Amino acid sequence: MKNKQHIAIAGAGLVGSLLSIYLAKRGHRVSVFERRGDMRKQTVDGGRSINLALSNRGLRALDEVGLTNEIRRTAIPMHGRVMHDRSGKLTFQPYGKTGQFINSISRSNLNIVLMDKAESLGVEFHFEQRVTTIDFDKTQISFSNSGPSEFDTIIGADGAFSTVRSGMQINDRFDYSQNYIAHGYKELHIPASENGGFQLEKNALHIWPRESFMLIALPNPDGSFTCTLFFPFEGPLSFSSLKKEKEVAEFLKQTFPDAEALMANAVEGFMNSPASSLVTVKCFPWAKNNTLLIGDAAHAIVPFYGQGMNAGFEDCRVLNQLIDKADDWKSLFSEFQKTRKPDTDSIAELALDNFIEMRDLVADAKFLLRKKIEAKLNQLFPEKWIPLYSMVTFREDIRYSDALAIGQKQKKIMDGVMQTSDIENNWEHLNFEGIVNKLDYDAQNF
């Protein structure tokens, strides 16, 4: 592992760019190949670019490469959810304790920061280079406009529809699955006010839960909000059922009245933007000889826990950590996939579960009481009862797989607690210590 390698990374997205920084810092020659053009030379509307939720796992990786302070300058802290019911009534639900928050950040701006940092370390980016084939025995990549190039190592960070992974799929004993949910999404826009201010609470993620679907809004530095409608593709009320401008206008006004009143050209935006799909991808193994899959190429998930990017960044951090213990690249890749696979499967499951919570439960009185009881348990026994959301989002020292296992145990206990007679009026008198003692794990182990 002391020998410096020429490493090819397919994909100049967030994960590929971050990984290139880690590897360049170790002295390797890194070449990144991207099928699209250089986004730094194209006009990007920062106010309407896709937002992401950056949390502790992602921040830890960015901190390791010295980018935390620069990223925080354009990030907007979101301390909790603001729920909007049909009448416009607002309910605030904090994400964690005071001082705990996630960050709304522009995908394109973050990607640009990562690419600039990588280039400053000597990483070579090659744009408009579409990977066509991989020769795993020779560690060669062929591109649409050139013949094969040979490298010491290849890493596929080319997203959910990875070409590198497609090449692996034709090999024997390669497991692969992709599952689309019945919902897709479209982006809408709430502009800044006339004086450049925010028309909604700035430091929150806004949700309009409507049982089988929902609208969310994340703040942008320019005072606007990027809104995302998660909505069924088919059915009586779906993308396929809303064909005319009049139908869309009526739907938005009746379903999200307070949001619709703030939106700019909502009907036009709805009609002109195609509905995008949401997919979960699982595969194994992630490695073939000297080639590795990472990020969405290995484990794409739906966005409902805000962990897709964070999980990909954690991939980079874990891989970098394992390099110090490995004898060669093959053993490194083997240990990496063995270590990460249980965690990425777990966050995929959690992300699907959280969609149901966000669209169906966050406005439910029983659910809100349940969360209040769990917050009290955490307040009284902070190292014994950690809410699932906090384990996933704020405790990067707890693996996703451990968080899922503990969360399932907590759910079973809370299901029993919620059966308590007249709990709505008596919850403050529960035997909180007795509830915590039902957990048979020591949180200090994690």
Side-chain angles (χ1 to χ4, degrees), residues 151-223:
F151 301 89
D152 297 307
T153 304
I154 298 171
I155 300 178
D158 48 343
F161 304 102
S162 167
T163 302
V164 180
R165 187 189 64 235
S166 295
M168 286 190 181
Q169 286 176 234
I170 64 176
N171 290 293
D172 189 33
R173 299 174 65 198
F174 184 88
D175 294 326
Y176 170 76
S177 69
Q178 66 175 28
N179 295 287
Y180 289 91
I181 65 171
H183 291 65
Y185 68 92
K186 288 192 178 192
E187 289 200 352
L188 301 170
H189 183 63
I190 293 177
S193 62
E194 290 184 2
N195 62 3
F198 292 86
Q199 297 197 69
L200 297 170
E201 166 57 42
K202 171 185 176 181
N203 297 115
L205 187 153
H206 295 260
I207 306 180
W208 290 259
R210 297 298 183 262
E211 295 186 358
S212 64
F213 57 90
M214 67 177 179
L215 178 74
I216 68 170
L218 277 74
N220 294 310
D222 66 356

Side-chain angles (χ1 to χ4, degrees), residues 267-409:
V267 175
E268 180 183 347
F270 186 101
M271 299 297 292
N272 292 338
S273 63
S276 299
S277 58
L278 296 164
V279 66
T280 298
V281 171
K282 294 182 181 181
C283 67
F284 200 79
W286 296 350
K288 173 72 174 176
N289 298 337
N290 289 321
T291 300
L292 175 73
L293 301 173
I294 197 168
D296 282 358
H299 51 78
I301 63 175
V302 293
F304 303 115
Y305 227 115
Q307 287 296 307
M309 170 186 63
N310 293 289
F313 282 5
E314 191 171 68
D315 279 353
C316 299
R317 185 181 66 78
V318 171
L319 183 66
N320 182 64
Q321 196 175 49
L322 292 173
I323 289 175
D324 293 327
K325 305 172 185 177
D327 295 322
D328 54 59
W329 291 89
K330 287 184 181 179
S331 62
L332 167 67
F333 293 168
S334 176
E335 183 63 24
F336 173 73
Q337 65 182 7
K338 184 173 71 175
T339 300
R340 285 299 285 165
K341 176 66 171 169
D343 292 324
T344 58
D345 283 352
S346 295
I347 192 57
E349 181 177 342
L350 287 165
L352 287 166
D353 289 345
N354 209 47
F355 182 33
I356 298 170
E357 177 176 314
M358 291 176 74
R359 77 182 192 204
D360 296 357
L361 300 177
V362 286
D364 179 76
K366 201 87 169 179
F367 173 81
L368 296 178
L369 176 60
R370 186 180 183 121
K371 290 296 183 185
K372 193 181 292 185
I373 294 170
E374 289 203 74
K376 184 69 173 179
L377 286 164
N378 179 240
Q379 178 188 344
L380 295 172
F381 308 97
E383 288 304 316
K384 289 187 175 181
W385 190 286
I386 307 170
L388 176 59
Y389 187 88
S390 295
M391 285 191 283
V392 170
T393 307
F394 303 123
R395 291 291 299 268
E396 68 275 17
D397 56 322
I398 299 178
R399 294 179 59 173
Y400 286 131
S401 52
D402 289 330
L404 175 61
I406 296 167
Q408 289 174 336
K409 205 169 292 187

Side-chain angles (χ1 to χ4, degrees), residues 11-209:
L14 298 172
V15 172
S17 297
L18 176 61
L19 183 60
S20 74
I21 296 171
Y22 270 113
L23 295 172
K25 278 178 167 286
R26 288 183 172 272
H28 297 292
R29 179 186 172 191
V30 184
S31 298
V32 181
F33 299 90
E34 171 59 47
R35 64 179 176 83
R36 294 165 296 188
D38 188 345
M39 65 169 61
R40 294 168 296 181
K41 298 177 181 178
Q42 300 169 349
T43 301
V44 176
D45 183 349
R48 301 197 69 174
S49 58
I50 297 172
N51 298 68
L52 297 168
L54 177 64
S55 57
N56 287 29
R57 294 176 195 271
L59 282 167
R60 184 174 176 182
L62 292 171
D63 187 56
E64 287 186 352
V65 298
L67 286 174
T68 306
N69 291 337
E70 185 172 357
I71 296 304
R72 284 193 183 277
R73 281 199 289 270
T74 57
I76 299 178
M78 298 184 293
H79 297 274
R81 304 163 169 165
V82 172
M83 318 308 303
H84 298 246
D85 70 11
R86 288 179 183 267
S87 66
K89 179 184 175 183
L90 307 181
T91 307
F92 179 75
Q93 298 173 12
Y95 280 131
K97 298 177 181 179
T98 302
Q100 289 183 324
F101 54 86
I102 60 177
N103 301 273
S104 175
I105 191 161
S106 158
R107 176 192 294 272
S108 58
N109 290 348
L110 176 55
N111 212 151
I112 288 169
V113 168
L114 290 169
M115 286 193 291
D116 286 346
K117 176 70 172 181
E119 282 190 335
S120 75
L121 296 169
V123 174
E124 299 173 350
F125 284 86
H126 305 272
F127 297 97
E128 298 179 354
Q129 297 286 326
R130 184 170 63 85
V131 176
T132 54
T133 58
I134 306 285
D135 187 322
F136 297 100
D137 294 322
K138 296 179 180 179
T139 321
Q140 288 182 344
I141 306 179
S142 294
F143 302 94
S144 55
N145 55 1
S146 64
S149 298
E150 189 169 326
F151 301 89
D152 297 307
T153 304
I154 298 171
I155 300 178
D158 48 343
F161 304 102
S162 167
T163 302
V164 180
R165 187 189 64 235
S166 295
M168 286 190 181
Q169 286 176 234
I170 64 176
N171 290 293
D172 189 33
R173 299 174 65 198
F174 184 88
D175 294 326
Y176 170 76
S177 69
Q178 66 175 28
N179 295 287
Y180 289 91
I181 65 171
H183 291 65
Y185 68 92
K186 288 192 178 192
E187 289 200 352
L188 301 170
H189 183 63
I190 293 177
S193 62
E194 290 184 2
N195 62 3
F198 292 86
Q199 297 197 69
L200 297 170
E201 166 57 42
K202 171 185 176 181
N203 297 115
L205 187 153
H206 295 260
I207 306 180
W208 290 259

Side-chain angles (χ1 to χ4, degrees), residues 430-442:
L430 289 167
N431 179 4
F432 291 103
E433 186 173 4
I435 295 170
V436 166
N437 287 339
K438 291 181 180 179
L439 285 171
D440 60 353
Y441 74 94
D442 180 1

